[in-house]
Amino acid sequence: MAREVEKKAVFDTDSAKEVVKELRASFVAGKTKSYEWRVAQLKALLKMTEENEPQIAAALRDDLSKPELESYIYEIAMLKNSCRLALKEMKRWIMPEKAKTSLTTFPSSAEIVSEPLGVVLVISAWNYPFLLSLDPVVGAIAAGNAVVLKPSEIAPATASLLAKLVANYLDSSCIKVVEGAVSETSALLEKKWDKIFYTGNGRVARIVMAAAAKHLTPVVLELGGKSPVIVDSGINLQVSIVLILLHVCFLCDLHADILICVFQVATRRIIAGKWGCNNGQACISPDYIITTKDYAPKLLDSFKRELEQFYGKNPLESKDLSRIVNSNHFARLSKLLDEDKVSGKIVHGGERDKNNLKIAPTILLDVPLDSLIMNEEIFGPLLPIIMVDKVEDSFDVINSSGTKPLAAYLFTNKEKLKEKFVATVSAGGLVVNDTTVHLAEHTLPFGGVGDSGMGAYHGKFSFDAFSHKKAVLYRGFACDAFVRYPPYTRRKLRLLQALLGGSLLSIIRALLGWS
C-alpha cells in the first residue's frame, strides 16, 4: 500500500511510459479485441455502477453538493443506459459493413471493417465527473481498445472513487485510472497514444492538441461555449392543464373537483437546463437568452415566479442547487457580476455565500455585448437576457460572436422560424422548444463544432470515435485487366477511360475499337 501511495505521488514520464507499455502489450496480444472481453468489461462496468450508487452519489455531493436526483438522472442512469445500449448493439456494430464496388475493380467485393485504434487516453472534466469519465470509456471498450482514464483533480472525491472502483471491477491489465493534476496530465500527454479524448475548456484543449500533434495522434475535443436561447414573443408561456380529481365519499356519491394548474413550460425548461443542470456548470447549459424588448418583461416575471417556486425565497439555502465547484470559479463568477457595466443590470438574484461557495440563480437584463459576461462562457448560475427589436435579429447576435456554441435553443411555434434557425445557426446541436434533452438521445451525435470542439460520441458514435474504419477489397485472379500494363497504347487509354467512367456502352465501344 505504501508503495502504491508513493507511486501515485511521484507519477512522472517514466511512470506514464510503464503504463502505456503494459497496456500496449495487452493490446498487441489481442486481449481487448475479442467480443467476449468487451462484453465482460461492459457488464463489469454496469455492475460496478449498480452496486455503488450510494458511494457515487456521496462523492458527487462532496465535490459539488450535487442533489441526489441530479446525480442519479444525469450521471448514474445515463452511464447505465450507455452500458446497456453497447451490450445490446455491439455485436451489430463490430460486424463488417458491406460496400458496393464498381466496374473499375470488377469482379470484386468490398467491406468496411471497424478495428480498435489501440491504446487511448481519456481526460475527463469536473462538472459531471462520473458520467464524463466513464461514458467515453464505454465507447473505447466496445471498440476494443486499452484505456487510460485521467479524471479531473477538481472533483477529488469522485476521482478517488473511480480509481478504486475501476481497479476492483475492470481488467487492470487493459484499463487503468491515473489520478493527479497538471504534472500527471503533462506526463501522460508526452506519450504516444492512438487517440486522446478530452472534455473541458478551450485553453487546455489547445495544450492537448499541441501535445497530440507531436505524435500525429487524433483527438476528440468536447468543449463548451456560449449556448444561446432564443425565445419568440409568439409563444404562450402559460399552458393550462386541467386535473380532475375524483373523490369517493362513504355514501358512494361521486363528485369532481377541477383544479387549474398553470405552469410556465418554456420557462421551466430553461430553468431545468440552466440551474437544474449542476447550477449552470454544464457545457450545454443555456448561457444567455435573446428575446424581444416587448416580451422581455413577461419572460422575466415568469422566471421570478418559477424560480421562487423551485428554490424558495432564499435559494442559497436550497438543497436542490449545486454549489460552485471551488473558490477560483466562485471568484471568476463574482468578477463577471461585479464589472461596472454589468453590476447594475441584475434584476433577480445576485446573492452570494462565499463561505459555502453558493450563488443564487441570477438574471441580468440588457447587458452590453462587450461586457465580460457576454465574451466568455459563464459556466455558472448567471443568465443574461439580451433584447432585440424583432426575434429574427437573434441570429445576427449569435453569428456575430465569431464562435460556434456547443448547443443552441429556440422556443417558438412558428415553422418558418424553426427552419431559419436550423439553416442559419451553426452549433454542435440544436433543440427546439426545450433545452439539453438532446444529450439523452443515443441516436444523435453529441459534439461541438469550431471552438466548441471536434468529433462526437454517444451510442454508436462513441464506438465509431474509438474505431478505425478499415477499407477491404477482395478480388480473385480471373478477368485481369490488360490495360493496366505496359506497353501503353491509344486503345488501352480509351478502354481505361471507359472503365474509369463507368459507362458500359463506352467500354463495349472501346473493346470493339470504335472511336
Side-chain angles (χ1 to χ4, degrees):
M1 179 64 72
R3 184 178 298 177
E4 291 177 359
V5 173
E6 182 181 354
K7 184 178 181 181
K8 186 185 298 183
V10 295
F11 190 92
D12 54 15
T13 55
D14 290 336
S15 306
K17 181 179 179 180
E18 289 303 312
V19 167
V20 175
K21 181 179 178 181
E22 180 184 352
L23 266 60
R24 198 166 294 283
S26 296
F27 178 77
V28 170
K31 191 172 184 180
T32 66
K33 297 179 184 180
S34 74
Y35 174 74
E36 292 74 18
W37 182 87
R38 305 183 202 192
V39 168
Q41 297 311 302
L42 290 174
K43 285 183 175 178
L45 187 54
L46 181 59
K47 181 181 179 182
M48 179 191 91
T49 306
E50 291 176 336
E51 292 183 348
N52 294 278
E53 287 184 13
Q55 295 93 316
I56 296 166
L60 293 170
R61 187 167 56 251
D62 288 345
D63 287 329
L64 293 152
S65 292
K66 188 169 287 193
E68 186 176 356
L69 184 141
E70 282 191 39
S71 296
Y72 180 77
I73 293 178
Y74 298 124
E75 303 227 35
I76 296 170
M78 289 188 71
L79 181 72
K80 287 159 65 174
N81 288 340
S82 293
C83 290
R84 291 184 182 120
L85 177 71
L87 286 166
K88 178 183 177 183
E89 301 290 344
M90 187 170 55
K91 185 170 286 188
R92 183 173 62 85
W93 293 347
I94 65 178
M95 290 291 292
E97 177 186 347
K98 293 297 180 183
K100 291 182 178 180
T101 57
S102 65
L103 284 171
T104 305
T105 58
F106 179 84
S108 64
S109 62
E111 63 185 10
I112 302 169
V113 176
S114 295
E115 67 175 7
L117 292 170
V119 181
V120 301
L121 173 63
V122 174
I123 305 174
S124 182
W126 55 261
N127 56 331
Y128 287 84
F130 185 75
L131 176 69
L132 297 183
S133 291
L134 293 178
D135 206 10
V137 172
V138 171
I141 292 172
N145 297 275
V147 189
V148 170
L149 168 62
K150 167 58 183 67
S152 174
E153 70 279 5
I154 300 178
T158 306
S160 178
L161 181 64
L162 280 168
K164 175 184 174 183
L165 294 180
V166 168
N168 290 340
Y169 282 84
L170 302 183
D171 183 351
S172 60
S173 68
C174 304
I175 305 167
K176 292 185 180 295
V177 174
V178 174
E179 293 183 80
V182 175
S183 60
E184 288 79 7
T185 304
S186 299
L188 290 169
L189 287 174
E190 287 184 20
K191 302 305 157 191
K192 177 175 174 54
W193 304 90
D194 296 299
K195 194 153 200 175
I196 298 175
F197 190 108
Y198 169 75
T199 304
N201 62 62
R203 180 183 59 82
V204 177
R206 289 172 172 82
I207 297 171
V208 170
M209 201 168 182
K214 295 178 182 178
H215 302 287
L216 295 179
T217 298
V219 297
V220 172
L221 302 177
E222 294 295 338
L223 310 178
K226 297 188 71 63
S227 298
V229 183
I230 302 171
V231 181
D232 180 19
S233 58
I235 67 168
N236 183 7
L237 284 174
Q238 296 187 343
V239 177
S240 299
I241 292 185
V242 179
L243 298 180
I244 301 178
L245 301 180
L246 299 178
H247 298 281
V248 182
C249 70
F250 71 99
L251 295 176
C252 296
D253 289 334
L254 210 62
H255 66 279
D257 292 335
I258 301 177
L259 303 178
I260 307 298
C261 297
V262 179
F263 43 110
Q264 324 291 331
V265 175
T267 310
R268 287 188 166 199
R269 289 177 178 178
I270 296 170
I271 291 172
K274 179 67 173 181
W275 296 284
C277 284
N278 202 27
N279 205 6
Q281 298 171 110
C283 55
I284 55 173
S285 281
D287 193 274
Y288 63 100
I289 290 177
I290 309 173
T291 193
T292 60
K293 294 176 181 176
D294 293 339
Y295 201 61
K298 298 177 183 178
L299 186 61
L300 179 58
D301 288 342
S302 179
F303 270 121
K304 289 179 178 179
R305 285 194 299 269
E306 295 302 314
L307 284 170
E308 183 174 331
Q309 184 174 342
F310 289 168
Y311 303 114
K313 292 185 180 297
N314 187 357
L316 294 179
E317 296 179 357
S318 174
K319 295 181 179 179
D320 295 324
L321 279 173
S322 301
R323 65 170 169 81
I324 307 307
V325 65
N326 59 28
S327 57
N328 289 336
H329 280 274
F330 186 92
R332 177 184 62 82
L333 292 166
S334 295
K335 182 180 179 182
L336 298 182
L337 279 180
D338 293 338
E339 187 182 11
D340 289 341
K341 62 180 72 175
V342 167
S343 58
K345 302 292 185 178
I346 298 173
V347 291
H348 181 77
E351 300 87 0
R352 287 170 262 181
D353 181 351
K354 186 176 181 179
N355 292 331
N356 294 308
L357 298 178
K358 287 282 191 108
I359 298 178
T362 301
I363 301 175
L364 305 97
L365 185 63
D366 196 27
V367 298
L369 293 179
D370 63 350
S371 59
L372 289 175
I373 201 169
M374 287 305 299
N375 282 277
E376 65 176 70
E377 185 180 8
I378 295 172
F379 221 71
L382 320 180
L383 185 64
I385 297 178
I386 305 299
M387 296 187 291
V388 292
D389 292 325
K390 57 183 186 297
V391 71
E392 289 78 9
D393 295 339
S394 303
F395 304 127
D396 294 332
V397 174
I398 295 169
N399 293 331
S400 65
S401 67
T403 61
K404 299 178 180 181
L406 183 58
Y409 308 110
L410 168 68
F411 286 84
T412 187
N413 291 319
K414 299 174 184 174
E415 291 302 320
K416 287 187 177 180
L417 194 61
K418 295 176 187 178
E419 292 172 4
K420 187 173 182 180
F421 175 64
V422 173
T424 305
V425 176
S426 180
L430 306 179
V431 181
V432 176
N433 292 332
D434 211 331
T435 64
T436 70
V437 292
H438 62 302
L439 183 76
E441 289 294 343
H442 66 80
T443 55
L444 294 175
F446 180 78
V449 56
D451 288 346
S452 58
M454 61 180 69
Y457 72 125
H458 286 187
K460 187 176 184 295
F461 301 100
S462 292
F463 175 86
D464 291 340
F466 290 100
S467 299
H468 165 59
K469 302 301 180 182
K470 183 166 60 179
V472 182
L473 183 74
Y474 298 97
R475 298 200 73 205
F477 291 102
C479 300
D480 195 36
F482 69 94
V483 295
R484 298 170 61 187
Y485 311 120
Y488 302 129
T489 64
R490 293 294 300 174
R491 183 187 176 198
K492 286 183 179 181
L493 175 60
R494 287 196 298 270
L495 181 55
L496 191 59
Q497 289 173 331
L499 284 169
L500 293 175
S503 170
L504 182 60
L505 179 60
S506 298
I507 294 172
I508 294 173
R509 291 171 64 90
L511 286 171
L512 294 175
W514 297 351
S515 60

